[in-house]
Amino acid sequence: MSEMVSVHGWMEEALSSQDEMNESNQRESAYDMLSGMSHEEHGSIDGEDDEEEEEDGEKPKKRGPKKKKMTKARMERFRVRRVKANARERSRMHGLNDALDNLRRVMPCYSKTQKLSKIETLRLARNYIWALSEVLDRGQTTEGKGFLEMLCKGLSQPTSNLVAGCLQLGPQTMFFEKHEEKSHLCESSLPGHTYSYQSPGLPSPPYGNIEAHHLHLKPPTFKSVVDSSMVNHTLNCTTPPYEGALTPPLSISGNFSLKQDGSSDMDKSYAFRSHYQSLGLGGSHGHGPHFQTAVPRYEIPIDMPYETYPHHAIFSE
DNA sequence: TAGGCCATCTGGTCCT
DNA sequence: AGGACCAGATGGCCTA
């Protein structure tokens, strides 16, 4: 990073000196930019035209708009503009990454040491919304493989294992159809459990397995709002909870709100269910308020290839 | 060493 | 003119 920042003086260096060629790569970009200029522009630079004046009496040899000569002053302005644009772009991307980080923190699993990639974060987020919508609309349980399969739809194998591990479903619910090829099964290592889940989707990036103590389980993330001590006691989560502003994880029709009084139903047997209920979202079995989403429902066959998802139809309408 | 992921630079396009 | 946004290019880092 610092090296890249130091490159911000690329043009200055490119224009003033040509030593320190160990940074030739970044430096090249400056020269590339110069090389991208018109011949006229290069010509004026080589000519050491110090004047702001853009007309020196030469007759244009071609038709069309005449290109301004690249005087030193123009070069300087160009450089300043480019440096500022780079800084803005960096800042913009940092903001984007911050937002992505916030998204990671409200995902069903969160690990500071085993961050989901950008693309996996977005996929999981989409699946998460989808799965929660199913819970609300159809009373589908958050327990069991159905919910997990929705979450893991199209995710890479390691990410699927990460999610499966985070859900802490018992092995009896985690071993899916026996006909699934063992060769495609991958294991995540949580103490006391070995989870295996075959993701139906994409190739597996080299994430590797994860340690349970590296995980920040999603349910504690929200429990921590109410009772963090219980979280540490019951789930032994060592990763500090998300301290930023909590965004209601689901607001499909805009009529959901986070409970303000901190009341909770922490005696529920399943963290996810209590998560919903503590948010006033109702449980998975029809308890609590019933919400009617304004989102049109689209069936997505569980075996539908990820690539063929009706992406625009699912959540964007 | 190849592949995945990422940060950054860059130029183009659109908008104000 | 300048900023926001975008996509392509590039190089670094990491892991299998």
Side-chain angles (χ1 to χ4, degrees), chain A residues 54-97:
Chain A
E54 296 162 7
E55 266 303 335
D56 59 357
E58 283 186 8
K59 294 180 180 179
K61 298 180 178 180
K62 293 181 179 179
R63 289 175 177 268
K66 190 167 66 176
K67 297 203 175 184
K68 295 181 178 180
K69 291 185 176 179
M70 187 58 76
T71 65
K72 279 186 176 177
R74 288 195 66 227
M75 282 289 297
E76 176 65 14
R77 285 198 298 272
F78 187 94
R79 181 190 67 83
V80 169
R81 196 164 66 235
R82 192 61 258 172
V83 168
K84 286 169 65 178
N86 289 346
R88 282 196 306 272
E89 178 66 8
R90 257 195 324 273
S91 173
R92 193 181 70 87
M93 295 308 297
H94 288 166
L96 190 63
N97 289 336

mmCIF file of all heavy atoms in Angstrom, chain A residues 54-97:
data_model
loop_
_atom_site.group_PDB
_atom_site.id
_atom_site.type_symbol
_atom_site.label_atom_id
_atom_site.label_comp_id
_atom_site.label_asym_id
_atom_site.label_seq_id
_atom_site.Cartn_x
_atom_site.Cartn_y
_atom_site.Cartn_z
ATOM 1 N N GLU A 54 -0.823 28.474 -26.796
ATOM 2 C CA GLU A 54 -1.051 27.240 -27.505
ATOM 3 C C GLU A 54 -0.894 27.404 -28.999
ATOM 4 O O GLU A 54 -0.921 26.414 -29.729
ATOM 5 C CB GLU A 54 -2.439 26.718 -27.170
ATOM 6 C CG GLU A 54 -2.561 26.353 -25.701
ATOM 7 C CD GLU A 54 -3.997 26.255 -25.303
ATOM 8 O OE1 GLU A 54 -4.849 26.335 -26.186
ATOM 9 O OE2 GLU A 54 -4.256 26.102 -24.106
ATOM 10 N N GLU A 55 -0.795 28.585 -29.428
ATOM 11 C CA GLU A 55 -0.562 28.821 -30.841
ATOM 12 C C GLU A 55 0.788 29.487 -31.018
ATOM 13 O O GLU A 55 1.085 30.500 -30.424
ATOM 14 C CB GLU A 55 -1.647 29.756 -31.404
ATOM 15 C CG GLU A 55 -2.834 29.045 -32.026
ATOM 16 C CD GLU A 55 -2.436 28.110 -33.150
ATOM 17 O OE1 GLU A 55 -1.381 28.319 -33.770
ATOM 18 O OE2 GLU A 55 -3.186 27.151 -33.402
ATOM 19 N N ASP A 56 1.609 28.882 -31.783
ATOM 20 C CA ASP A 56 2.901 29.533 -32.013
ATOM 21 C C ASP A 56 3.089 29.814 -33.506
ATOM 22 O O ASP A 56 4.188 29.981 -33.979
ATOM 23 C CB ASP A 56 4.034 28.662 -31.479
ATOM 24 C CG ASP A 56 4.031 27.325 -32.141
ATOM 25 O OD1 ASP A 56 3.120 27.057 -32.979
ATOM 26 O OD2 ASP A 56 4.902 26.526 -31.843
ATOM 27 N N GLY A 57 1.995 29.807 -34.221
ATOM 28 C CA GLY A 57 2.097 30.195 -35.611
ATOM 29 C C GLY A 57 2.239 29.027 -36.558
ATOM 30 O O GLY A 57 2.155 29.207 -37.761
ATOM 31 N N GLU A 58 2.423 27.821 -36.008
ATOM 32 C CA GLU A 58 2.537 26.683 -36.920
ATOM 33 C C GLU A 58 1.229 26.467 -37.651
ATOM 34 O O GLU A 58 0.150 26.590 -37.067
ATOM 35 C CB GLU A 58 2.892 25.420 -36.146
ATOM 36 C CG GLU A 58 4.340 25.363 -35.756
ATOM 37 C CD GLU A 58 4.645 24.017 -35.123
ATOM 38 O OE1 GLU A 58 3.764 23.132 -35.143
ATOM 39 O OE2 GLU A 58 5.756 23.867 -34.612
ATOM 40 N N LYS A 59 1.312 26.084 -38.860
ATOM 41 C CA LYS A 59 0.097 25.768 -39.606
ATOM 42 C C LYS A 59 -0.275 24.318 -39.387
ATOM 43 O O LYS A 59 0.569 23.425 -39.506
ATOM 44 C CB LYS A 59 0.314 26.031 -41.091
ATOM 45 C CG LYS A 59 0.520 27.499 -41.415
ATOM 46 C CD LYS A 59 0.733 27.677 -42.903
ATOM 47 C CE LYS A 59 0.937 29.134 -43.219
ATOM 48 N NZ LYS A 59 1.183 29.362 -44.664
ATOM 49 N N PRO A 60 -1.527 24.101 -39.054
ATOM 50 C CA PRO A 60 -1.959 22.715 -38.899
ATOM 51 C C PRO A 60 -1.847 21.967 -40.210
ATOM 52 O O PRO A 60 -2.206 22.476 -41.254
ATOM 53 C CB PRO A 60 -3.417 22.857 -38.439
ATOM 54 C CG PRO A 60 -3.832 24.205 -38.892
ATOM 55 C CD PRO A 60 -2.604 25.062 -38.880
ATOM 56 N N LYS A 61 -1.349 20.762 -40.087
ATOM 57 C CA LYS A 61 -1.150 19.985 -41.305
ATOM 58 C C LYS A 61 -2.347 19.116 -41.622
ATOM 59 O O LYS A 61 -2.427 18.522 -42.676
ATOM 60 C CB LYS A 61 0.089 19.114 -41.152
ATOM 61 C CG LYS A 61 1.345 19.936 -40.954
ATOM 62 C CD LYS A 61 2.547 19.033 -40.811
ATOM 63 C CE LYS A 61 3.814 19.867 -40.661
ATOM 64 N NZ LYS A 61 5.014 19.030 -40.508
ATOM 65 N N LYS A 62 -3.239 19.003 -40.657
ATOM 66 C CA LYS A 62 -4.388 18.151 -40.899
ATOM 67 C C LYS A 62 -5.650 18.887 -40.534
ATOM 68 O O LYS A 62 -5.651 19.806 -39.732
ATOM 69 C CB LYS A 62 -4.292 16.858 -40.093
ATOM 70 C CG LYS A 62 -3.167 15.962 -40.539
ATOM 71 C CD LYS A 62 -3.145 14.689 -39.710
ATOM 72 C CE LYS A 62 -2.037 13.769 -40.161
ATOM 73 N NZ LYS A 62 -1.994 12.550 -39.343
ATOM 74 N N ARG A 63 -6.728 18.388 -41.066
ATOM 75 C CA ARG A 63 -8.021 18.937 -40.695
ATOM 76 C C ARG A 63 -8.418 18.420 -39.323
ATOM 77 O O ARG A 63 -7.751 17.609 -38.721
ATOM 78 C CB ARG A 63 -9.074 18.523 -41.728
ATOM 79 C CG ARG A 63 -8.914 19.216 -43.054
ATOM 80 C CD ARG A 63 -9.918 18.647 -44.037
ATOM 81 N NE ARG A 63 -9.856 19.339 -45.311
ATOM 82 C CZ ARG A 63 -10.609 20.378 -45.607
ATOM 83 N NH1 ARG A 63 -11.467 20.834 -44.712
ATOM 84 N NH2 ARG A 63 -10.507 20.963 -46.769
ATOM 85 N N GLY A 64 -9.587 18.866 -38.901
ATOM 86 C CA GLY A 64 -10.084 18.403 -37.620
ATOM 87 C C GLY A 64 -9.631 19.282 -36.491
ATOM 88 O O GLY A 64 -8.840 20.202 -36.691
ATOM 89 N N PRO A 65 -10.158 19.005 -35.333
ATOM 90 C CA PRO A 65 -9.818 19.830 -34.179
ATOM 91 C C PRO A 65 -8.333 19.766 -33.890
ATOM 92 O O PRO A 65 -7.749 18.693 -33.818
ATOM 93 C CB PRO A 65 -10.630 19.207 -33.044
ATOM 94 C CG PRO A 65 -10.912 17.819 -33.496
ATOM 95 C CD PRO A 65 -11.002 17.872 -34.992
ATOM 96 N N LYS A 66 -7.827 20.911 -33.713
ATOM 97 C CA LYS A 66 -6.390 20.971 -33.453
ATOM 98 C C LYS A 66 -6.137 20.662 -31.979
ATOM 99 O O LYS A 66 -6.797 21.199 -31.101
ATOM 100 C CB LYS A 66 -5.860 22.353 -33.793
ATOM 101 C CG LYS A 66 -4.353 22.395 -33.763
ATOM 102 C CD LYS A 66 -3.832 23.640 -34.394
ATOM 103 C CE LYS A 66 -4.211 24.856 -33.592
ATOM 104 N NZ LYS A 66 -3.625 26.079 -34.140
ATOM 105 N N LYS A 67 -5.205 19.802 -31.750
ATOM 106 C CA LYS A 67 -4.891 19.441 -30.378
ATOM 107 C C LYS A 67 -4.031 20.506 -29.738
ATOM 108 O O LYS A 67 -3.133 21.047 -30.369
ATOM 109 C CB LYS A 67 -4.169 18.097 -30.351
ATOM 110 C CG LYS A 67 -5.025 16.972 -30.871
ATOM 111 C CD LYS A 67 -4.572 15.661 -30.342
ATOM 112 C CE LYS A 67 -5.516 14.560 -30.772
ATOM 113 N NZ LYS A 67 -5.156 13.262 -30.195
ATOM 114 N N LYS A 68 -4.373 20.740 -28.487
ATOM 115 C CA LYS A 68 -3.581 21.711 -27.761
ATOM 116 C C LYS A 68 -2.211 21.143 -27.470
ATOM 117 O O LYS A 68 -2.071 19.954 -27.178
ATOM 118 C CB LYS A 68 -4.274 22.071 -26.455
ATOM 119 C CG LYS A 68 -5.596 22.781 -26.647
ATOM 120 C CD LYS A 68 -6.194 23.128 -25.301
ATOM 121 C CE LYS A 68 -7.493 23.882 -25.495
ATOM 122 N NZ LYS A 68 -8.117 24.230 -24.202
ATOM 123 N N LYS A 69 -1.273 21.994 -27.520
ATOM 124 C CA LYS A 69 0.075 21.539 -27.211
ATOM 125 C C LYS A 69 0.225 21.322 -25.717
ATOM 126 O O LYS A 69 -0.371 22.029 -24.916
ATOM 127 C CB LYS A 69 1.086 22.572 -27.687
ATOM 128 C CG LYS A 69 1.159 22.661 -29.200
ATOM 129 C CD LYS A 69 2.246 23.601 -29.616
ATOM 130 C CE LYS A 69 2.364 23.597 -31.130
ATOM 131 N NZ LYS A 69 3.401 24.530 -31.575
ATOM 132 N N MET A 70 0.996 20.334 -25.392
ATOM 133 C CA MET A 70 1.209 20.001 -23.996
ATOM 134 C C MET A 70 2.368 20.821 -23.451
ATOM 135 O O MET A 70 3.514 20.400 -23.458
ATOM 136 C CB MET A 70 1.497 18.497 -23.848
ATOM 137 C CG MET A 70 1.572 18.044 -22.402
ATOM 138 S SD MET A 70 0.076 18.377 -21.474
ATOM 139 C CE MET A 70 -0.979 17.090 -22.099
ATOM 140 N N THR A 71 2.041 21.993 -23.028
ATOM 141 C CA THR A 71 3.065 22.821 -22.415
ATOM 142 C C THR A 71 3.360 22.294 -21.023
ATOM 143 O O THR A 71 2.640 21.442 -20.501
ATOM 144 C CB THR A 71 2.593 24.272 -22.322
ATOM 145 O OG1 THR A 71 1.473 24.316 -21.419
ATOM 146 C CG2 THR A 71 2.164 24.784 -23.690
ATOM 147 N N LYS A 72 4.371 22.823 -20.439
ATOM 148 C CA LYS A 72 4.696 22.392 -19.077
ATOM 149 C C LYS A 72 3.565 22.728 -18.118
ATOM 150 O O LYS A 72 3.255 21.965 -17.212
ATOM 151 C CB LYS A 72 5.989 23.047 -18.612
ATOM 152 C CG LYS A 72 7.226 22.335 -19.126
ATOM 153 C CD LYS A 72 8.480 22.916 -18.520
ATOM 154 C CE LYS A 72 9.701 22.133 -18.970
ATOM 155 N NZ LYS A 72 10.962 22.725 -18.437
ATOM 156 N N ALA A 73 2.975 23.842 -18.322
ATOM 157 C CA ALA A 73 1.863 24.230 -17.449
ATOM 158 C C ALA A 73 0.696 23.265 -17.613
ATOM 159 O O ALA A 73 0.068 22.854 -16.633
ATOM 160 C CB ALA A 73 1.430 25.655 -17.772
ATOM 161 N N ARG A 74 0.416 22.911 -18.854
ATOM 162 C CA ARG A 74 -0.664 21.950 -19.065
ATOM 163 C C ARG A 74 -0.307 20.597 -18.503
ATOM 164 O O ARG A 74 -1.146 19.890 -17.960
ATOM 165 C CB ARG A 74 -0.986 21.838 -20.566
ATOM 166 C CG ARG A 74 -1.705 23.069 -21.118
ATOM 167 C CD ARG A 74 -2.300 22.758 -22.465
ATOM 168 N NE ARG A 74 -3.356 21.765 -22.375
ATOM 169 C CZ ARG A 74 -3.455 20.707 -23.170
ATOM 170 N NH1 ARG A 74 -2.557 20.505 -24.089
ATOM 171 N NH2 ARG A 74 -4.444 19.874 -23.043
ATOM 172 N N MET A 75 0.920 20.233 -18.681
ATOM 173 C CA MET A 75 1.372 18.961 -18.109
ATOM 174 C C MET A 75 1.166 18.954 -16.597
ATOM 175 O O MET A 75 0.734 17.960 -16.013
ATOM 176 C CB MET A 75 2.847 18.732 -18.439
ATOM 177 C CG MET A 75 3.094 18.248 -19.845
ATOM 178 S SD MET A 75 2.537 16.547 -20.048
ATOM 179 C CE MET A 75 3.624 15.721 -18.909
ATOM 180 N N GLU A 76 1.495 20.059 -15.991
ATOM 181 C CA GLU A 76 1.355 20.154 -14.542
ATOM 182 C C GLU A 76 -0.116 20.038 -14.142
ATOM 183 O O GLU A 76 -0.460 19.330 -13.197
ATOM 184 C CB GLU A 76 1.957 21.475 -14.049
ATOM 185 C CG GLU A 76 1.776 21.712 -12.555
ATOM 186 C CD GLU A 76 2.540 20.689 -11.718
ATOM 187 O OE1 GLU A 76 3.401 19.973 -12.284
ATOM 188 O OE2 GLU A 76 2.265 20.596 -10.513
ATOM 189 N N ARG A 77 -0.955 20.740 -14.868
ATOM 190 C CA ARG A 77 -2.374 20.646 -14.558
ATOM 191 C C ARG A 77 -2.892 19.232 -14.770
ATOM 192 O O ARG A 77 -3.679 18.724 -13.982
ATOM 193 C CB ARG A 77 -3.160 21.637 -15.429
ATOM 194 C CG ARG A 77 -3.020 23.085 -14.995
ATOM 195 C CD ARG A 77 -4.146 23.907 -15.598
ATOM 196 N NE ARG A 77 -4.110 23.921 -17.051
ATOM 197 C CZ ARG A 77 -3.415 24.793 -17.775
ATOM 198 N NH1 ARG A 77 -2.705 25.722 -17.169
ATOM 199 N NH2 ARG A 77 -3.418 24.740 -19.091
ATOM 200 N N PHE A 78 -2.427 18.626 -15.833
ATOM 201 C CA PHE A 78 -2.830 17.248 -16.105
ATOM 202 C C PHE A 78 -2.385 16.329 -14.967
ATOM 203 O O PHE A 78 -3.124 15.477 -14.498
ATOM 204 C CB PHE A 78 -2.207 16.792 -17.427
ATOM 205 C CG PHE A 78 -2.706 15.451 -17.880
ATOM 206 C CD1 PHE A 78 -3.781 15.355 -18.766
ATOM 207 C CD2 PHE A 78 -2.120 14.281 -17.422
ATOM 208 C CE1 PHE A 78 -4.235 14.119 -19.179
ATOM 209 C CE2 PHE A 78 -2.578 13.044 -17.839
ATOM 210 C CZ PHE A 78 -3.640 12.958 -18.716
ATOM 211 N N ARG A 79 -1.166 16.532 -14.539
ATOM 212 C CA ARG A 79 -0.647 15.685 -13.473
ATOM 213 C C ARG A 79 -1.451 15.861 -12.191
ATOM 214 O O ARG A 79 -1.855 14.884 -11.550
ATOM 215 C CB ARG A 79 0.814 16.022 -13.201
ATOM 216 C CG ARG A 79 1.456 15.178 -12.120
ATOM 217 C CD ARG A 79 2.809 15.726 -11.743
ATOM 218 N NE ARG A 79 2.710 17.018 -11.085
ATOM 219 C CZ ARG A 79 2.457 17.161 -9.791
ATOM 220 N NH1 ARG A 79 2.277 16.101 -9.040
ATOM 221 N NH2 ARG A 79 2.369 18.351 -9.253
ATOM 222 N N VAL A 80 -1.710 17.093 -11.839
ATOM 223 C CA VAL A 80 -2.475 17.357 -10.622
ATOM 224 C C VAL A 80 -3.861 16.736 -10.721
ATOM 225 O O VAL A 80 -4.349 16.110 -9.775
ATOM 226 C CB VAL A 80 -2.577 18.875 -10.375
ATOM 227 C CG1 VAL A 80 -3.588 19.165 -9.270
ATOM 228 C CG2 VAL A 80 -1.211 19.444 -10.029
ATOM 229 N N ARG A 81 -4.459 16.896 -11.883
ATOM 230 C CA ARG A 81 -5.789 16.329 -12.057
ATOM 231 C C ARG A 81 -5.762 14.813 -11.929
ATOM 232 O O ARG A 81 -6.632 14.210 -11.314
ATOM 233 C CB ARG A 81 -6.328 16.746 -13.428
ATOM 234 C CG ARG A 81 -7.823 16.551 -13.558
ATOM 235 C CD ARG A 81 -8.377 17.308 -14.729
ATOM 236 N NE ARG A 81 -7.884 16.796 -15.998
ATOM 237 C CZ ARG A 81 -7.284 17.528 -16.918
ATOM 238 N NH1 ARG A 81 -7.069 18.815 -16.673
ATOM 239 N NH2 ARG A 81 -6.872 17.005 -18.046
ATOM 240 N N ARG A 82 -4.738 14.221 -12.528
ATOM 241 C CA ARG A 82 -4.636 12.762 -12.477
ATOM 242 C C ARG A 82 -4.375 12.265 -11.051
ATOM 243 O O ARG A 82 -4.958 11.281 -10.610
ATOM 244 C CB ARG A 82 -3.511 12.322 -13.407
ATOM 245 C CG ARG A 82 -3.449 10.874 -13.702
ATOM 246 C CD ARG A 82 -4.691 10.371 -14.379
ATOM 247 N NE ARG A 82 -5.579 9.661 -13.439
ATOM 248 C CZ ARG A 82 -6.787 9.249 -13.736
ATOM 249 N NH1 ARG A 82 -7.296 9.463 -14.927
ATOM 250 N NH2 ARG A 82 -7.541 8.636 -12.848
ATOM 251 N N VAL A 83 -3.525 12.952 -10.344
ATOM 252 C CA VAL A 83 -3.233 12.567 -8.965
ATOM 253 C C VAL A 83 -4.490 12.681 -8.118
ATOM 254 O O VAL A 83 -4.803 11.796 -7.306
ATOM 255 C CB VAL A 83 -2.100 13.446 -8.389
ATOM 256 C CG1 VAL A 83 -1.980 13.258 -6.889
ATOM 257 C CG2 VAL A 83 -0.786 13.095 -9.065
ATOM 258 N N LYS A 84 -5.223 13.758 -8.298
ATOM 259 C CA LYS A 84 -6.454 13.927 -7.539
ATOM 260 C C LYS A 84 -7.469 12.852 -7.904
ATOM 261 O O LYS A 84 -8.172 12.322 -7.043
ATOM 262 C CB LYS A 84 -7.033 15.326 -7.792
ATOM 263 C CG LYS A 84 -6.268 16.432 -7.096
ATOM 264 C CD LYS A 84 -6.694 17.804 -7.573
ATOM 265 C CE LYS A 84 -8.125 18.114 -7.205
ATOM 266 N NZ LYS A 84 -8.519 19.479 -7.639
ATOM 267 N N ALA A 85 -7.537 12.542 -9.164
ATOM 268 C CA ALA A 85 -8.483 11.505 -9.594
ATOM 269 C C ALA A 85 -8.101 10.160 -8.993
ATOM 270 O O ALA A 85 -8.971 9.393 -8.576
ATOM 271 C CB ALA A 85 -8.515 11.423 -11.118
ATOM 272 N N ASN A 86 -6.816 9.890 -8.958
ATOM 273 C CA ASN A 86 -6.375 8.629 -8.353
ATOM 274 C C ASN A 86 -6.752 8.577 -6.881
ATOM 275 O O ASN A 86 -7.214 7.546 -6.384
ATOM 276 C CB ASN A 86 -4.865 8.470 -8.511
ATOM 277 C CG ASN A 86 -4.470 8.189 -9.941
ATOM 278 O OD1 ASN A 86 -5.301 7.855 -10.777
ATOM 279 N ND2 ASN A 86 -3.189 8.355 -10.233
ATOM 280 N N ALA A 87 -6.547 9.675 -6.193
ATOM 281 C CA ALA A 87 -6.884 9.710 -4.770
ATOM 282 C C ALA A 87 -8.383 9.506 -4.571
ATOM 283 O O ALA A 87 -8.805 8.775 -3.664
ATOM 284 C CB ALA A 87 -6.434 11.040 -4.165
ATOM 285 N N ARG A 88 -9.158 10.137 -5.417
ATOM 286 C CA ARG A 88 -10.603 9.955 -5.288
ATOM 287 C C ARG A 88 -11.000 8.513 -5.555
ATOM 288 O O ARG A 88 -11.841 7.944 -4.856
ATOM 289 C CB ARG A 88 -11.324 10.882 -6.266
ATOM 290 C CG ARG A 88 -11.406 12.313 -5.848
ATOM 291 C CD ARG A 88 -12.453 13.034 -6.683
ATOM 292 N NE ARG A 88 -12.224 12.882 -8.115
ATOM 293 C CZ ARG A 88 -11.473 13.675 -8.850
ATOM 294 N NH1 ARG A 88 -10.864 14.700 -8.269
ATOM 295 N NH2 ARG A 88 -11.308 13.463 -10.130
ATOM 296 N N GLU A 89 -10.391 7.941 -6.561
ATOM 297 C CA GLU A 89 -10.710 6.565 -6.897
ATOM 298 C C GLU A 89 -10.318 5.625 -5.753
ATOM 299 O O GLU A 89 -11.059 4.708 -5.416
ATOM 300 C CB GLU A 89 -9.996 6.165 -8.187
ATOM 301 C CG GLU A 89 -10.217 4.735 -8.603
ATOM 302 C CD GLU A 89 -11.670 4.457 -8.992
ATOM 303 O OE1 GLU A 89 -12.456 5.413 -9.085
ATOM 304 O OE2 GLU A 89 -12.002 3.280 -9.180
ATOM 305 N N ARG A 90 -9.172 5.892 -5.182
ATOM 306 C CA ARG A 90 -8.758 5.085 -4.025
ATOM 307 C C ARG A 90 -9.762 5.212 -2.900
ATOM 308 O O ARG A 90 -10.181 4.227 -2.298
ATOM 309 C CB ARG A 90 -7.379 5.529 -3.555
ATOM 310 C CG ARG A 90 -6.253 4.605 -3.973
ATOM 311 C CD ARG A 90 -4.979 4.867 -3.209
ATOM 312 N NE ARG A 90 -4.725 6.251 -2.907
ATOM 313 C CZ ARG A 90 -4.111 7.117 -3.690
ATOM 314 N NH1 ARG A 90 -3.709 6.739 -4.865
ATOM 315 N NH2 ARG A 90 -3.913 8.356 -3.299
ATOM 316 N N SER A 91 -10.130 6.431 -2.628
ATOM 317 C CA SER A 91 -11.089 6.679 -1.553
ATOM 318 C C SER A 91 -12.429 6.006 -1.850
ATOM 319 O O SER A 91 -13.062 5.428 -0.959
ATOM 320 C CB SER A 91 -11.269 8.186 -1.372
ATOM 321 O OG SER A 91 -12.300 8.450 -0.449
ATOM 322 N N ARG A 92 -12.812 6.095 -3.092
ATOM 323 C CA ARG A 92 -14.082 5.475 -3.471
ATOM 324 C C ARG A 92 -14.048 3.974 -3.257
ATOM 325 O O ARG A 92 -14.996 3.378 -2.735
ATOM 326 C CB ARG A 92 -14.392 5.791 -4.930
ATOM 327 C CG ARG A 92 -15.805 5.474 -5.359
ATOM 328 C CD ARG A 92 -16.002 5.801 -6.826
ATOM 329 N NE ARG A 92 -15.273 4.883 -7.690
ATOM 330 C CZ ARG A 92 -15.763 3.712 -8.107
ATOM 331 N NH1 ARG A 92 -16.972 3.332 -7.725
ATOM 332 N NH2 ARG A 92 -15.063 2.920 -8.881
ATOM 333 N N MET A 93 -12.946 3.376 -3.665
ATOM 334 C CA MET A 93 -12.821 1.933 -3.503
ATOM 335 C C MET A 93 -12.731 1.548 -2.035
ATOM 336 O O MET A 93 -13.230 0.503 -1.621
ATOM 337 C CB MET A 93 -11.607 1.411 -4.263
ATOM 338 C CG MET A 93 -11.704 1.571 -5.762
ATOM 339 S SD MET A 93 -13.242 0.908 -6.437
ATOM 340 C CE MET A 93 -13.081 -0.812 -6.044
ATOM 341 N N HIS A 94 -12.084 2.392 -1.239
ATOM 342 C CA HIS A 94 -12.039 2.119 0.196
ATOM 343 C C HIS A 94 -13.441 2.159 0.787
ATOM 344 O O HIS A 94 -13.807 1.340 1.630
ATOM 345 C CB HIS A 94 -11.128 3.134 0.892
ATOM 346 C CG HIS A 94 -9.687 2.908 0.606
ATOM 347 N ND1 HIS A 94 -8.714 3.849 0.892
ATOM 348 C CD2 HIS A 94 -9.038 1.872 0.040
ATOM 349 C CE1 HIS A 94 -7.532 3.390 0.526
ATOM 350 N NE2 HIS A 94 -7.697 2.187 0.002
ATOM 351 N N GLY A 95 -14.213 3.130 0.345
ATOM 352 C CA GLY A 95 -15.581 3.198 0.812
ATOM 353 C C GLY A 95 -16.386 1.973 0.418
ATOM 354 O O GLY A 95 -17.178 1.441 1.205
ATOM 355 N N LEU A 96 -16.131 1.537 -0.792
ATOM 356 C CA LEU A 96 -16.807 0.332 -1.262
ATOM 357 C C LEU A 96 -16.407 -0.875 -0.424
ATOM 358 O O LEU A 96 -17.241 -1.697 -0.039
ATOM 359 C CB LEU A 96 -16.453 0.099 -2.731
ATOM 360 C CG LEU A 96 -17.238 -0.966 -3.474
ATOM 361 C CD1 LEU A 96 -18.708 -0.591 -3.534
ATOM 362 C CD2 LEU A 96 -16.692 -1.127 -4.882
ATOM 363 N N ASN A 97 -15.142 -0.959 -0.127
ATOM 364 C CA ASN A 97 -14.656 -2.081 0.680
ATOM 365 C C ASN A 97 -15.179 -2.004 2.105
ATOM 366 O O ASN A 97 -15.462 -3.032 2.729
ATOM 367 C CB ASN A 97 -13.131 -2.115 0.668
ATOM 368 C CG ASN A 97 -12.585 -2.538 -0.676
ATOM 369 O OD1 ASN A 97 -13.267 -3.205 -1.442
ATOM 370 N ND2 ASN A 97 -11.369 -2.134 -0.973
#
